[in-house]
Amino acid sequence: MKKALITGITGQDGSYLSEFLIGKGYEVHGIIRRSSVDFRERIAHLEGHRHFHLHYGDMGDTLSIIQVVGKVQPDEIYNLAAQSHVQVSFDSPEYTANVDATGVLRILEAVRQCGLEQHCRIYQASTSELYGRVEEVPQNEDTPFHPYSPYAVAKLYGYWIVKEYREAYHMFCCNGILFNHESERRGETFVTRKITLAAARIRQGRQEKLYLGNLSSLRDWGYAKDYVECMWLILQHDKPEDFVIATGQQHTVREFCERAFHYAGLKLRWEGEGADEKGICEAVDDTTACGHLVGKTLVEVSPDFYRPTDVVNLLGDPAKAQRLLGWNPEKTSFDQLVKLMVENDMAKIASDDAAARVRCNLAEYLEKGIVK
Ligand code: NAP
Ligand code: GDD
């Protein structure tokens, strides 16, 4: 039985990768951080599985990383842990560098210190943010990098240190240069999930308006579940190489918004430009339930969500992954992705409401002495 160690196992990708590797017959180990509140929502269903094990550690803490690597003796490491929010990296650049840059070095060195360098294969979660202020469109493995945020600069170090250890010590370590990938488990402050949650809340009368930043930003959005398969394929390849993983299609934030509101039953039309642009509700699928929304402004721009430097034109060319790994970039379309995220959030908001109503009724019954 092969052993995989996943850093960032509680994150969007870590949770899907865990399910994928367990399905492939792996024993899966993950590094988690201690927290005063429960943060394991995405992997709760895996806890207790006999091939799923968690270890405390932190990417900023060299000793804990060496200890876990030495104890687990993994065949494969997937280094997914990161301060992964680009906007946050402007507020916490040093922390981001420690985790996203030096953290990668800690993993590589831990493997060497434990004498596993000729045995253990390592996947590094590199990113399309490396292309930053893009120098060509579409971007492939040979496109020059121009990182455009503290996050991207930290990830650039990660990218190069992986290449360095491959060349210097002949280690099997690879970069997956993944373009944006989203899902029902996407963190709630990334733009796609922020939009799908807001569309569901607005449709169900739980939110009035959605405030966004740059609506014209272009992204190549794929489905996270499809992308974790590629991480595994990269480590099964006969030689260590770096790969771009993308769909080859791009859309603006505005288009994502339009489709998400459409699947929530609300038709948007756009008026104005730049910071004055607004998304107005033109029609609804059910006038009884939400007819009052027609004519209302549901989306507005807030400069609070502008970034000091923003990456605005990402489009990946996945030809190498298609050719050498047999990966299919068209498995889940843009429309399917938006639809499945909105359907998930429509159900989530409805069930949160139902749970809140039960709590409310219970409080009232307790107060009136109806239940004890
Ligand atoms: P995510 O949902 O934000 O998950 C990040 C994970 O890293 C979480 O498990 C988090 O743990 C962990 N982490 C953060 N700081 C840590 C630290 N100091 N020590 C240990 N663990 C730490 O990110 P994701 O979307 O799954 O992305 C996975 C990786 O791929 C990241 O490296 C990201 O930069 C990269 N990437 C993502 C995309 C994308 O579109 N999703 C594209 C390209 C590259 P907590 O739960 O404790 O916070
Ligand atoms: N988060 C956010 N919130 N972004 C917004 C908003 C908003 O309200 N309004 C517009 N945007 C724009 C951002 O300016 C950016 O151009 C784009 O939407 C996407 O932003 P995010 O969803 O935050 O993702 P990201 O592209 O910055 O970073 C994600 O993808 C990278 C791969 O390219 C993260 O997952 C990174 O970890 C990953 O490396």
Side-chain angles (χ1 to χ4, degrees), residues 84-87 127-129 151 178-180 186 189-192 194 211-215 217 219 221 253 305 307 310-311 314:
S84 72
H85 204 285
V86 174
Q87 188 155 13
T127 165
S128 50
E129 285 293 304
Y151 166 81
L178 270 56
F179 282 62
N180 297 52
R186 185 56 146 154
T189 57
F190 294 99
V191 77
T192 55
K194 182 174 164 182
Y211 292 94
L212 292 171
N214 184 358
L215 293 173
S217 189
R219 286 290 181 279
W221 279 297
V253 170
F305 300 106
R307 297 172 182 182
D310 197 13
V311 174
L314 291 179

Side-chain angles (χ1 to χ4, degrees), residues 241-302:
E241 287 188 49
D242 305 327
F243 289 89
V244 160
I245 308 299
T247 68
Q249 309 282 328
Q250 66 176 183
H251 299 272
T252 58
V253 170
R254 187 181 298 103
E255 281 175 86
F256 191 100
C257 210
E258 239 168 67
R259 294 313 289 159
F261 276 74
H262 162 80
Y263 287 121
L266 308 169
K267 183 171 164 37
L268 287 182
R269 77 163 190 274
W270 299 96
E271 277 183 14
E273 271 179 38
D276 296 324
E277 188 165 354
K278 291 183 180 14
I280 295 162
C281 182
E282 192 169 76
V284 296
D285 65 346
D286 176 353
T287 45
T288 318
C290 52
H292 62 285
L293 293 176
V294 177
K296 286 210 166 131
T297 297
L298 302 184
V299 185
E300 266 188 38
V301 172
S302 163

Side-chain angles (χ1 to χ4, degrees), residues 8-14 33 39 42 57-60 80-84 95 99 125-128 151 155 178-182 186 190:
I9 197 160
T10 54
Q12 169 189 259
D13 292 5
R33 302 191 278 179
F39 55 91
R42 296 182 179 110
D58 193 296
M59 295 307 289
L80 310 185
Q83 189 303 92
S84 72
Y95 175 73
V99 175
S126 281
T127 165
S128 50
Y151 166 81
K155 284 280 186 180
L178 270 56
F179 282 62
N180 297 52
H181 44 280
E182 318 296 312
R186 185 56 146 154
F190 294 99

Side-chain angles (χ1 to χ4, degrees), residues 142-161:
D142 301 318
T143 302
F145 295 136
H146 187 144
Y148 215 32
S149 65
Y151 166 81
V153 174
K155 284 280 186 180
L156 186 67
Y157 176 87
Y159 172 90
W160 277 110
I161 200 70

Side-chain angles (χ1 to χ4, degrees), residues 30-35 39-40 54-58 64 68:
I31 293 182
I32 53 166
R33 302 191 278 179
R34 197 262 158 186
S35 159
F39 55 91
R40 300 188 205 171
L54 298 174
H55 310 265
Y56 282 104
D58 193 296
S64 70
V68 176

